[in-house]
Amino acid sequence: MTSTQTSSHTVAMPLTAVAPGRWTTIAGTEWRNPGGGLWGGYAIGLAIRVMEAEPDAVGEALSLTLTYAAALPAGALDIRTRCLRQGGSIGVWEVEILPAGSDQVGVHAMVTMARRPQTPPFAFAKMPQAPDPETMPTPQPWGSSEHFGASAFDRRTLEGFPPKPGESSLSLAWTRSRRGPMDKALLGMITDNSAPRAMYALGMAVMTTTLSLTVYLHATAEEIAEVGEDFILIECEGRVGGGGASDERSSYWRRDGKLLATSEQLAWYRERPRNAPE
């Protein structure tokens, strides 16, 4: 099959179709974590992008559940897409992301695609009170400016950052894209842009990695596009940790109070080894 280049929208995720359900891309080094593997938010955005490009997909991404089986390297990646079921309004797809030429899946995603009908809206959740982001200084990025998506997002924290042990894991932050207007892929990437909740119990001496992350994209593509290049508010908290696993749940609000997305995450954590006494 002749390769074709798809649009990469506002984020550098150039996709080349090489066969039905087969794609390739190049992940830039700016998406790496300090440990070397790709930031988990990149895989979320990539899964949404490839479904937007998949010619047989119907509708738009409604939810994603990603399992992080192994770290993905920067550079060439292979992507496999497969439709598990297509109904009248809902389609269920499988997306696998692998290092180029490998059979070992790094990230596995189940993506629900949907036509979004006109239905009466309702909302029980309310956006937290927060000062305007323009009144807050732009902080120095946590860690390197080239990691954790810091090069893609401007993040202004209201409370709960940097993380430290205490009685609450709640954090609030305004975040906006540095890569152009907000869209579904960028919003998906933001859902993995908060500090691990284990650090709010145990401090910074914790090593942690995402095991699974589910994103619910409540807003339609048109409602997300209305954000433009404005800030959205991230409300994030953890509930429990133990036996190496901790949870996290987050909500993502448009400035006018519209709830755009929610997420649930399970992370693996352990304390960093202490230096042996001399």
Side-chain angles (χ1 to χ4, degrees), residues 15-235:
L15 291 167
T16 301
V18 296
R22 297 292 184 270
W23 311 78
T24 62
T25 191
I26 303 294
T29 57
E30 68 270 22
W31 301 115
R32 289 188 304 184
N33 285 331
L38 289 175
W39 167 50
Y42 174 86
I44 300 171
L46 183 60
I48 294 173
R49 278 285 181 262
V50 75
M51 291 312 305
E52 291 174 340
E54 172 58 61
D56 294 329
V58 176
E60 60 187 69
L62 179 63
S63 71
L64 303 88
T65 297
L66 290 89
T67 300
Y68 295 83
L72 289 168
L77 299 175
D78 291 338
I79 309 160
R80 301 191 296 224
T81 57
R82 182 167 70 102
C83 182
L84 301 183
R85 183 184 184 278
Q86 181 61 56
S89 297
I90 302 294
V92 180
W93 286 76
E94 185 177 48
V95 177
E96 295 176 326
I97 307 173
L98 314 86
S102 173
D103 289 328
Q104 298 298 312
V105 175
V107 176
H108 175 273
M110 295 296 296
V111 184
T112 300
M113 303 292 290
R115 292 189 176 99
R116 305 298 298 271
Q118 292 291 331
T119 54
F122 62 89
F124 300 109
K126 293 184 179 180
M127 179 178 175
Q129 293 293 320
D132 288 341
E134 289 83 2
T135 66
M136 305 169 60
T138 301
Q140 292 297 317
W142 183 45
S144 169
S145 62
E146 296 301 316
H147 297 310
F148 299 115
S151 65
F153 303 110
D154 176 3
R155 184 181 176 94
R156 304 187 185 185
T157 301
L158 286 76
E159 60 179 89
F161 194 85
K164 59 183 179 181
E167 296 183 356
S168 174
S169 68
L170 178 67
S171 65
L172 294 173
W174 288 106
T175 300
R176 67 178 173 184
S177 168
R178 301 181 190 270
R179 301 292 184 93
M182 186 66 64
D183 61 15
K184 284 213 167 189
L186 284 166
L187 179 59
M189 295 170 81
I190 290 175
T191 63
D192 193 34
N193 197 231
S194 297
R197 297 299 107 171
M199 293 181 177
Y200 291 81
L202 304 174
M204 302 291 285
V206 172
M207 297 184 293
T208 180
T209 186
T210 301
L211 294 177
S212 65
L213 192 153
T214 297
V215 181
Y216 301 107
L217 296 163
H218 306 296
T220 64
E222 291 77 12
E223 291 168 333
I224 295 171
E226 290 176 10
V227 174
E229 298 185 32
D230 196 9
F231 287 91
I232 64 172
L233 183 67
I234 302 174
E235 178 187 16

